Amino acid sequence: MMSVRTDLLLAVLRDTLAATVNFIMLSTANQEVYDPAELHLGDSALVVDRAAHQIFQANLLAHPGTAKLDIVATVVGEEHPYLPDGIRDGQLLVLLDPADGSNQWRCQRAGWCTAGVVVQRAGDGWTFVTAFCAAPDGRLFLLRDDGAVLIGSTHNAIMAPFRGPTPPNPTKEHIVAANAYKHASRHLVAPVFDALGDEWFCLTFAGNPAVMNLLTYDTDVVFNPNPSSVWDTAAVIIAAHTSAVVGSIDGVIWSPEELVALFGSRVDLDPATCQFVPPYVAAKTEDLYREVVSAIRTGLSSQAE
């Protein structure tokens, strides 16, 4: 892999993320979404997603540090799943989810973030470079090339090492968050919630925003019973590089290196052929991971009966 000026790349990403998150939070985004001339029933979340993608790309290209990095000018991802032609060996490509949890944003809830990964062209394939997440409360996570996780704020340039999630709260019920927004997911998640019992507080809240809350707040476990695309797993990659536990819903714990190999190079964006990330569980501790994996087994067994 060709050398990447990682510190410069992370600085560019930090500033670009700050501009994108601020755009989503401020009235400009809301006015665009709720302009009566533009609004169509049910598509307000899509409007802010697309606008945020454009803002991220514009700020990335305008950043003075970008000229010193060989970054593909087109940002791809959820809102633009098309690889541009002519990508050269060694070039960096950003895979972005501009407003992960945009339905949370639409409901005026804080459970959304801007997240993604950066990969580098290597011959006919790709190599993982970094992952990033930024939340509306200012929390920012970046992954260094040596595997160290940095935590900081979109409000300033101060970054510090981050080694592990906050410990479980011993005075309250455990909190589990799962991807169950859509009808197709509810039948998978509801039996798991039932199997966990009264000692667990259950949320239908998942993806990058939920994993960020696992790292810094009281959410103890996050699981997604569905396959994911690569930009939806940036926070999972970051979590695996801390003391958090990340693995399959079958109980196989993944190392950071396995996650990078599994999640970090999925650049095929064609929905017909794209390789998706398998369902996962992320937890503050291995005991909590095992407890939820057991509940998933029980829940799936009850469905089969």
Side-chain angles (χ1 to χ4, degrees):
M1 181 178 71
M2 297 178 65
S3 176
V4 177
R5 299 179 60 181
T6 308
D7 289 340
L8 177 59
L9 173 62
L10 297 187
V12 170
L13 289 172
R14 182 193 64 226
D15 294 344
T16 303
L17 287 165
T20 306
V21 169
N22 287 341
F23 168 79
I24 297 171
M25 292 179 65
L26 294 176
S27 59
T28 304
N30 286 280
Q31 288 169 1
E32 182 163 359
V33 169
Y34 292 111
D35 182 344
E38 297 291 336
L39 183 63
H40 300 279
L41 182 63
D43 73 357
S44 58
L46 293 176
V47 173
V48 74
D49 263 325
R50 291 166 181 164
H53 184 104
Q54 294 169 2
I55 290 294
F56 183 98
Q57 180 169 287
N59 278 273
L60 176 70
L61 298 181
H63 195 289
T66 300
K68 302 175 183 178
L69 298 165
D70 195 5
I71 299 179
V72 177
T74 301
V75 174
V76 303
E78 186 174 53
E79 298 309 315
H80 187 80
Y82 310 105
L83 278 177
D85 296 328
I87 299 177
R88 301 186 307 276
D89 192 52
Q91 278 196 294
L92 302 176
L93 178 72
V94 179
L95 296 157
L96 180 71
D97 192 339
D100 188 10
S102 50
N103 279 316
Q104 298 277 6
W105 173 87
R106 185 175 63 173
C107 298
Q108 301 300 308
R109 295 174 65 183
W112 58 269
C113 71
T114 299
V117 301
V118 179
V119 293
Q120 185 179 36
R121 188 75 187 212
D124 294 332
W126 300 88
T127 303
F128 174 84
V129 176
T130 189
F132 56 86
C133 297
D137 61 5
R139 284 174 300 145
L140 170 65
F141 284 102
L142 298 170
L143 183 62
R144 287 180 50 87
D145 57 349
D146 60 2
V149 175
L150 300 178
I151 186 171
S153 171
T154 54
H155 305 309
N156 56 56
I158 299 173
M159 301 294 294
F162 181 84
R163 294 180 176 82
T166 55
N169 190 328
T171 65
K172 295 182 178 180
E173 299 92 342
H174 292 309
I175 299 174
V176 60
N179 185 350
Y181 296 123
K182 298 179 181 179
H183 183 267
S185 300
R186 292 173 199 157
H187 74 284
L188 298 173
V189 170
V192 179
F193 285 172
D194 288 341
L196 285 169
D198 294 338
E199 295 183 357
W200 285 80
F201 187 73
C202 303
L203 304 173
T204 56
F205 166 56
N208 291 309
V211 177
M212 290 186 75
N213 283 2
L214 180 147
L215 292 174
T216 51
Y217 294 150
D218 275 359
T219 303
D220 295 297
V221 181
V222 177
F223 78 92
N224 190 344
N226 302 305
S228 306
S229 50
V230 63
W231 48 81
D232 287 325
T233 51
V236 173
I237 295 174
I238 291 170
H241 285 81
T242 73
S243 60
V245 177
V246 179
S248 72
I249 63 172
D250 299 321
V252 178
I253 295 175
W254 294 320
S255 70
E257 294 77 17
E258 288 172 324
L259 273 173
V260 166
L262 181 65
F263 295 177
S265 58
R266 304 285 176 93
V267 184
D268 180 1
L269 304 177
D270 185 342
T273 59
C274 181
Q275 293 177 299
F276 290 103
V277 173
Y280 66 83
V281 179
K284 288 183 182 292
T285 68
E286 185 172 349
D287 286 345
L288 292 171
Y289 170 81
R290 297 293 179 195
E291 186 171 350
V292 171
V293 165
S294 177
I296 291 172
R297 290 195 183 111
T298 300
L300 293 178
S301 297
S302 69
Q303 286 183 317
E305 295 174 355

